[in-house]
């Protein structure tokens, strides 16, 4: 496991990336979450994760600091390795299941080709830092997220499953499951699914000012890049 610890200057999110049941601890309380799932670890709340299975489990850790590039961590005592915690149900902390069935259809996203499916997993109200949102996207084969840019927020695309072509500042590159691409402030970006299969993306955004979002459409569906 990842032992119990706390951050005073940042907040985190743990995302189990596969259908596996892991034990999440937040503020000293533990529950089993059915993956793929994630839990919010608020600033100042102790947290950790433990894998009770007999095989490795892949998870992703996202951290957003209250001050730019200022990170901290305070480990708890060795006995807080979370290997033998009392389990509670339902989970007594903020969490979410990454579920395709909860997605809703959105046409021509940023004037992209076709439709995509979107779910807002978390909005800024769930965080104390300038975390903007965490979204789950499903892009069918042959469809795209249109070329666009943000002037007040930065974004990371994590390819959760599938593959495609991601364009950023006129450079187009192939990406596949497990890849992550940073879209810095003011950069133009978008995604075309040329893979022949569905592609899922986790989008993570951080704003310059809490609650402020923007999206400037650049009128290119990226299918001819």
């Amino acid at each position: 496991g990842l032992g119990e610890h706390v951050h005073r200057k940042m907040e985190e999110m743990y995302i189990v990336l596969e259908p596996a049941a892991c034990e999440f601890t937040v503020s000293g309380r533990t529950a089993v979450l059915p993956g793929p799932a994630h839990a919010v670890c608020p600033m100042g709340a102790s947290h950790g994760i433990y894998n009770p299975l007999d095989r490795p489990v892949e998870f992703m850790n996202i951290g957003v600091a209250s001050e730019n590039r200022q990170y901290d961590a305070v480990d708890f005592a060795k006995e807080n390795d979370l290997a033998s915690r009392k389990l509670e149900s339902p989970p007594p902390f903020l969490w979410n299941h990454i579920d395709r069935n909860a997605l809703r259809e959105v046409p021509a996203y940023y004037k992209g080709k076709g439709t995509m499916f979107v779910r807002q997993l978390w909005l800024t109200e769930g965080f104390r830092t300038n975390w903007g949102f965490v979204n789950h996207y499903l892009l069918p084969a042959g469809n795209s997220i249109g070329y666009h840019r943000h002037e007040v927020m930065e974004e990371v695309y994590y390819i959760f499953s599938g593959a495609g072509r991601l364009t950023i500042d006129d450079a187009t590159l192939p990406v596949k499951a497990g890849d992550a691409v940073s879209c810095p402030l003011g950069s133009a970006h978008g995604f075309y699914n040329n893979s022949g299969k569905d592609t899922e993306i986790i989008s993570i955004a951080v704003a310059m000012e809490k609650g402020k979002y923007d999206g400037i459409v650049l009128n290119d569906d990226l299918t001819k890049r």
Side-chain angles (χ1 to χ4, degrees), residues 82 96 115 125 134 149 175 184 212:
L82 306 177
N96 225 325
T115 63
E125 291 81 7
V134 179
R149 73 173 187 269
V175 292
K212 298 292 185 180

Side-chain angles (χ1 to χ4, degrees), residues 1-92:
L2 180 59
E4 192 172 15
H5 61 285
V6 66
H7 307 290
R8 308 296 186 192
K9 297 182 179 180
M10 57 182 286
E11 52 192 349
E12 285 184 307
M13 179 179 289
Y14 291 164
I15 304 178
V16 169
L17 299 168
E18 55 185 285
C22 283
E23 297 176 9
F24 289 72
T25 296
V26 180
S27 296
R29 303 178 71 180
T30 304
V32 175
L33 301 187
H38 58 276
V40 177
C41 308
M43 192 185 307
S46 66
H47 54 277
I49 186 170
Y50 176 70
N51 175 16
L53 306 178
D54 59 358
R55 62 176 180 84
V57 172
E58 184 178 7
F59 77 99
M60 179 166 60
N61 175 18
I62 307 165
V64 176
S66 56
E67 300 177 40
N68 193 28
R69 296 180 175 87
Q70 297 299 310
Y71 306 104
D72 71 315
V74 178
D75 292 336
F76 278 37
K78 185 177 180 180
E79 57 266 24
N80 289 65
D81 62 7
L82 306 177
S84 57
R85 302 285 298 190
K86 177 184 176 181
L87 302 180
E88 300 184 48
S89 182

Side-chain angles (χ1 to χ4, degrees), residues 4-217:
E4 192 172 15
H5 61 285
V6 66
H7 307 290
R8 308 296 186 192
K9 297 182 179 180
M10 57 182 286
E11 52 192 349
E12 285 184 307
M13 179 179 289
Y14 291 164
I15 304 178
V16 169
L17 299 168
E18 55 185 285
C22 283
E23 297 176 9
F24 289 72
T25 296
V26 180
S27 296
R29 303 178 71 180
T30 304
V32 175
L33 301 187
H38 58 276
V40 177
C41 308
M43 192 185 307
S46 66
H47 54 277
I49 186 170
Y50 176 70
N51 175 16
L53 306 178
D54 59 358
R55 62 176 180 84
V57 172
E58 184 178 7
F59 77 99
M60 179 166 60
N61 175 18
I62 307 165
V64 176
S66 56
E67 300 177 40
N68 193 28
R69 296 180 175 87
Q70 297 299 310
Y71 306 104
D72 71 315
V74 178
D75 292 336
F76 278 37
K78 185 177 180 180
E79 57 266 24
N80 289 65
D81 62 7
L82 306 177
S84 57
R85 302 285 298 190
K86 177 184 176 181
L87 302 180
E88 300 184 48
S89 182
F93 46 76
L94 295 173
W95 75 285
N96 225 325
H97 186 59
I98 302 175
D99 184 0
R100 282 190 173 199
N101 295 324
L103 295 164
R104 61 180 180 85
E105 188 173 359
V106 176
Y109 201 62
Y110 288 116
K111 292 192 176 181
K113 180 184 177 182
T115 63
M116 64 182 291
F117 297 84
V118 178
R119 182 186 178 200
Q120 294 180 320
L121 298 174
W122 293 106
L123 292 176
T124 191
E125 291 81 7
F127 304 103
R128 292 177 58 187
T129 61
N130 284 5
W131 209 320
F133 58 76
V134 179
N135 288 347
H136 177 205
Y137 301 147
L138 186 147
L139 196 61
N143 295 359
S144 69
I145 299 172
Y147 207 35
H148 64 284
R149 73 173 187 269
H150 308 291
E151 298 291 347
V152 300
M153 54 185 263
E154 296 186 302
E155 199 171 10
V156 171
Y157 283 178
Y158 175 79
I159 312 305
F160 185 50
S161 69
R165 292 201 315 240
L166 191 142
T167 298
I168 180 166
D169 288 335
D170 290 325
T172 299
L173 62 153
V175 292
K176 62 185 185 305
D179 290 342
V181 180
S182 174
C183 305
L185 199 67
S187 65
H189 54 279
F191 187 93
Y192 172 50
N193 181 2
N194 67 330
S195 69
K197 299 180 180 179
D198 289 345
T199 294
E200 291 179 90
I201 297 170
I202 301 295
S203 170
I204 303 127
V206 178
M208 293 180 67
E209 183 179 344
K210 189 173 178 63
K212 298 292 185 180
Y213 309 101
D214 71 332
I216 301 167
V217 176

